């Protein structure tokens, strides 16, 4: 079976972003970009399934403007077999639109499993996997922390409020990863070299029949109301006195 | 834009009781300006529906009770909500694990783009939401015919309880889907729920072991009547269960008092707690970023400070 892994190029999680002074967005010029951390976990899980003989091929897909192929290349260097790049003029394609593009790609590729990250750490939407499952009419399991593929089914343990839940999904199905599913591998130097020869197929939204027009109009982007540091106290006794005065004890 | 169609709020509950985050999401739903109906979907969920009927401002409770809705799997709940959607201008749910799973599914079936994690309702179609772990706030206008929203409940006060809204039973036959429930491990705890607690004590990597977490963090929490939280590092290392994680990708909380023990204050952690009213940090590194958001900082070894703090609290409460 084939596994499709959508990977998003995002601002690296170590970067502290800055809001543009004119409120038009977030400063993205000359900023370190990386694969969304949850997507690295998704790639890793797909590779482990291939290495276990469950999957035959892992395809990394990304939707975005110039340089998005770097992120696909990262997935290939980790071990994905080939890439698909839906090249757009702009970044920031909405989850609903991404889901529609992925649906069109899935119609052609026929994977049994699609593994996405649970959320992209830039827009923090946490939507795309669920939307894709809905558009395909497939079952979904979000926030996966354990994945066991059986005969035509997959058992997924999910991180939910209060604990863990296990679901059984009939394949084909859509999964989204949580942090504790696995520890993604680093790409080795030989694999980075090998990845340069792996194919990345370019596609356009027009050819896939999807309109990229956003549904949410972004009116402004602003700094959150800041919080300033308070005081240092010298002892537990002093701390308790302050907390009593503040009325929180 | 005045709403003509009512708003449908999906209740967060476990059939037996209503989760308090529902009352907070209700405040956001009422801010849309239209009558609010609450959908209680589950199996043997009448008790939860009765609790929802008490919430102030609820016009009607819809009870969809069926074995097909047991455990509120995303597929049947989404099918149910979509079948009801034409009568509503907006569909709203709290940003819980359930809400996050089902709402985008509903949105896609309605061909609508969801607004995730609403922290303010500016107008019936204009919302504020955090992006980049809360380091920026985006103001968006939703242009779809039906608005689909998840609500960051820490940003809204709970609606009161003094109502007796009518409860209407729905025919809840749901189509079969490819997902089935296998099992659940839900930890029973006598402590307050993290997302509704007035005080939270959280521990980080510095605790060093599950035993220490249990011996240091939990007694302090109990002395304060607090819920227990954790950093990702503490959860990953197995010191605390996953649903205690506070942060960008865990729970977002805003208690009256948040006590961070041996937590450095990475942006992903701050994203989950920086709206707390009073923040206390105990850390042996005086330059730890957590001190930049802490109202009261104590520099030192938590293994010495926490027992002393507990003794002081006992004195203060005596
Ligand atoms: C995609 C992604 C999502 C993430 N989501 C989250 C999230 O939701 N929540 C979250 O918390 N993190 C999250 N993280 C992880 C985050 O970046 C940090 O790695 C994590 O918060 C660090 O946890 P910590 O503060 O416990 O550990 P550390 O950063 O290791 O800090 C330990 C602190 O303890 C102090 N210390 C050590 N010994 C003592 C002692 N004896 N007494 C007092 N102080 C002591 C040290 O000075 C240090 O400041 C995420 C990361 C990524 C990449
Ligand atoms: N532009 C994109 N290209 C590829 N995958 C994406 C894109 N946007 C979102 N995804 C996938 O959807 C997941 C959730 O994203 P989101 O719904 O935006 O939080 C990500 O972790 C990716 O797996």
């Amino acid at each position: 079976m084939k596994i499709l892994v959508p990977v998003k190029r995002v601002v690296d999680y170590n970067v502290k972003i800055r809001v543009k002074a004119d409120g038009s967005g977030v400063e993205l010029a000359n900023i370190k970009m990386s694969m969304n951390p949850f997507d690295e976990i998704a790639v890793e899980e797909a590779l482990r399934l291939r290495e276990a003989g469950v999957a035959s091929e892992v395809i990394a897909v990304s939707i975005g403007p110039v340089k998005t192929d770097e992120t696909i290349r990262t997935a290939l260097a980790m071990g994905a077999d080939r890439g698909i790049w839906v090249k757009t003029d702009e970044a920031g394609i909405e989850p609903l639109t991404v889901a529609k593009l992925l649906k069109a790609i899935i119609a052609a590729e026929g994977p049994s499993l699609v593994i996405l990250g649970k959320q992209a750490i830039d827009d923090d939407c946490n939507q795309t996997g669920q939307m894709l499952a809905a558009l395909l009419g497939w079952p979904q399991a979000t926030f996966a922390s354990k994945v066991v593929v059986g005969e035509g089914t997959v058992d997924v343990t999910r991180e939910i409020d209060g604990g863990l839940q296990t679901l059984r999904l009939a394949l084909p199905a859509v999964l989204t990863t949580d942090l504790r599913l696995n520890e993604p591998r680093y790409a080795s130097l030989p694999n980075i070299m090998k990845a340069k020869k792996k194919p990345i197929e370019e596609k356009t939204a027009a050819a896939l029949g999807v309109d990229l027009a956003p549904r949410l109009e972004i009116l402004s982007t602003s700094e959150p109301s800041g919080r300033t540091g308070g005081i240092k106290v010298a002892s537990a006794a002093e701390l308790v006195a302050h907390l009593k005065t503040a009325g929180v004890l | 834009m005045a709403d003509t169609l009512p708003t449908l709020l999906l209740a967060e509950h476990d059939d037996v009781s209503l989760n308090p985050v529902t009352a907070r999401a209700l405040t956001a739903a009422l801010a849309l300006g239209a009558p609010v109906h609450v959908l209680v979907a589950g199996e043997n969920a009448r008790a939860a529906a009765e609790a929802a009927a008490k919430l102030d401002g609820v016009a009607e409770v819809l009870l969809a009770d069926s074995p097909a809705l047991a455990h509120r799997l995303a597929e049947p709940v989404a099918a149910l909500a979509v079948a009801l959607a034409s009568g509503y201008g907006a569909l709203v749910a709290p940003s819980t694990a359930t809400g996050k799973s089902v709402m985008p599914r509903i949105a896609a079936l309605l061909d609508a783009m969801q607004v995730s994690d609403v922290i303010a309702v500016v107008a019936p179609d204009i919302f504020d939401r955090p992006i980049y772990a809360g380091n920026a706030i985006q103001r968006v206008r939703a242009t779809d015919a039906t608005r689909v929203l998840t609500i960051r409940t820490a940003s809204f006060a709970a609606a009161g309880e003094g109502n007796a809204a009518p409860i209407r039973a729905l025919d809840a036959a749901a189509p079969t889907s490819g997902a089935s429930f296998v099992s659940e491990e839900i930890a029973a705890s006598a402590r307050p729920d993290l997302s509704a607690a007035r005080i939270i004590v959280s521990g980080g990597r510095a605790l060093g072991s599950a035993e220490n977490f249990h011996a240091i963090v939990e007694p302090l929490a109990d002395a304060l009547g607090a819920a227990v939280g954790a950093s990702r590092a503490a959860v990953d290392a197995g010191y605390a269960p996953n649903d205690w994680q506070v942060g960008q990708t865990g729970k977002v909380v805003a208690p009256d008092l948040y006590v961070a023990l041996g937590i450095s204050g990475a942006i992903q952690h701050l994203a989950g707690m920086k709206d707390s009213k009073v923040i206390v940090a105990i850390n042996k590194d005086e330059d730890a970023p957590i001190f930049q958001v802490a109202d009261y900082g104590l520099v030192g070894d938590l293994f010495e400070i926490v027992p002393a703090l507990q003794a002081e609290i006992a004195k203060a409460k005596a």
Side-chain angles (χ1 to χ4, degrees):
Chain A
M1 71 177 205
K2 288 189 204 175
I3 302 180
L4 196 86
V5 186
V7 296
K8 187 176 186 188
R9 181 174 171 82
V10 298
V11 172
D12 186 86
Y13 81 96
N14 278 310
V15 172
K16 170 109 172 63
I17 58 98
R18 289 215 331 271
V19 174
K20 287 188 193 161
D22 64 0
S24 66
V26 163
E27 196 60 69
L28 292 176
N30 303 317
I31 282 193
K32 183 176 181 212
M33 305 291 284
S34 300
M35 187 189 298
N36 184 41
F38 290 99
D39 305 352
E40 292 181 16
I41 296 172
V43 172
E44 176 66 36
E45 196 64 18
L47 295 177
R48 289 186 189 186
L49 289 169
R50 192 192 60 200
E51 285 157 5
V54 173
S56 51
E57 191 182 32
V58 175
I59 308 159
V61 184
S62 195
I63 295 145
V66 281
K67 293 200 173 166
T68 296
D69 52 329
E70 287 176 8
T71 302
I72 299 173
R73 230 20 110 186
T74 305
L76 299 179
M78 285 175 76
D81 297 289
R82 60 189 168 92
I84 298 174
W85 176 15
V86 182
K87 200 168 176 182
T88 59
D89 293 335
E90 314 266 351
I93 306 298
E94 288 177 346
L96 180 62
T97 311
V98 171
K100 288 176 182 174
L101 292 165
L102 292 173
K103 182 187 175 193
I105 290 169
I106 286 161
E109 293 288 347
S112 301
L113 206 52
V114 184
I115 312 181
L116 304 90
K118 81 163 174 182
Q119 95 197 51
I121 60 163
D122 50 2
D123 63 30
D124 281 334
C125 275
N126 198 331
Q127 298 177 2
T128 309
Q130 300 87 311
M131 288 181 157
L132 175 64
L135 296 179
L136 292 166
W138 292 6
Q140 68 179 49
T142 48
F143 323 144
S145 66
K146 189 175 171 206
V147 173
V148 180
V149 176
E151 280 299 318
T153 60
V154 58
D155 285 3
V156 184
T157 303
R158 311 172 54 225
E159 297 200 1
I160 60 167
D161 300 334
L164 296 170
Q165 178 187 66
T166 304
L167 300 179
R168 174 164 296 173
L169 309 184
L171 296 175
V174 174
L175 314 184
T176 76
T177 61
D178 216 319
L179 290 169
R180 280 161 285 273
L181 179 58
N182 60 47
E183 184 97 36
R185 70 194 64 187
Y186 290 102
S188 66
L189 197 56
N191 284 343
I192 293 172
M193 301 311 291
K194 261 197 254 166
K196 292 193 172 141
K197 298 205 191 75
K198 291 182 181 173
I200 297 179
E201 188 187 344
E202 281 186 37
K203 292 188 185 288
T204 64
L208 293 168
V210 176
D211 175 8
L212 296 181
R215 304 293 188 79
L216 299 184
E217 189 187 337
I218 299 172
L219 303 179
S220 65
T221 304
S222 59
E223 293 270 359
S225 49
R227 182 169 191 121
T228 42
I231 56 167
K232 294 252 167 74
V233 295
S235 69
E238 200 187 318
L239 175 60
V240 169
H242 278 293
L243 294 180
K244 275 179 103 171
T245 314
V248 289
L249 270 196
Chain B
M1 168 180 143
D3 262 297
T4 42
L5 290 172
T7 297
L8 186 65
L9 170 66
L10 274 69
E12 176 75 23
H13 67 96
D14 63 0
D15 298 325
V16 181
S17 60
L18 191 68
N19 187 308
V21 297
T22 308
R24 292 169 176 261
L26 172 59
T27 300
L30 288 167
L32 300 176
V36 175
H37 299 175
V38 178
L39 174 63
V40 175
E43 184 183 26
N44 300 324
R46 180 156 285 272
E50 282 166 3
K54 292 193 183 125
L55 295 178
D56 289 340
V58 172
E60 186 177 33
V61 174
L62 309 180
L63 172 60
D65 209 322
S66 156
L69 293 165
H71 307 288
R72 282 160 288 287
L73 299 195
E75 296 80 358
V77 175
L80 171 69
V82 168
L84 296 169
S86 64
Y88 292 94
L91 279 73
V92 178
S95 287
T96 55
T98 306
K100 287 174 183 171
S101 295
V102 73
M103 294 306 273
R105 204 165 167 112
I106 295 170
L109 294 171
L110 298 175
D111 194 31
M113 177 56 204
Q114 170 176 308
V115 184
S116 293
D117 281 324
V118 170
I119 57 169
V121 176
V122 180
D125 59 343
I126 301 181
F127 310 98
D128 284 350
R129 61 174 305 263
I131 55 173
Y132 288 96
N135 286 300
I137 307 296
Q138 205 172 55
R139 179 160 292 183
V140 297
R141 182 199 305 275
T143 61
D144 292 308
T146 310
R147 284 146 296 151
V148 179
L149 316 174
T150 62
I151 306 299
R152 178 164 285 191
T153 53
S155 301
F156 295 88
E161 282 181 31
N163 195 3
I167 299 175
R168 180 158 61 95
L170 297 178
D171 175 17
T176 50
S177 76
S180 56
F181 176 84
V182 176
S183 63
E184 208 160 63
E185 291 166 45
I186 300 290
S189 165
R191 295 199 185 91
D193 184 48
L194 199 51
S195 31
R198 213 177 57 77
I199 303 180
I200 295 171
V201 178
S202 284
R205 193 197 306 273
L207 271 304
S209 69
E211 294 71 43
N212 285 344
F213 205 96
H214 189 60
I216 304 278
V217 182
E218 298 183 31
L220 178 61
D222 293 339
L224 289 166
V228 186
S231 71
R232 175 191 171 183
V235 174
D236 282 2
Y239 308 164
N242 60 275
D243 61 300
W244 289 6
Q245 180 176 313
V246 170
Q248 180 186 17
T249 57
K251 292 212 167 73
V252 177
V253 298
D256 291 346
L257 175 61
Y258 188 90
V259 183
L261 306 174
I263 294 177
S264 59
I267 47 175
Q268 293 87 3
H269 188 80
L270 300 186
M273 44 65 77
K274 69 180 161 56
D275 293 329
S276 306
K277 213 178 277 166
V278 173
I279 297 174
V280 169
I282 299 175
N283 196 303
K284 70 175 182 192
D285 172 10
E286 62 174 341
D287 296 323
I290 190 80
F291 288 126
Q292 290 164 21
V293 301
D295 299 280
Y296 304 106
L298 241 172
V299 179
D301 185 348
L302 72 91
F303 293 100
E304 287 163 22
I305 293 173
V306 173
L309 183 57
Q310 234 171 284
E312 290 297 332
I313 290 165
K315 259 197 262 169
K317 290 206 163 166

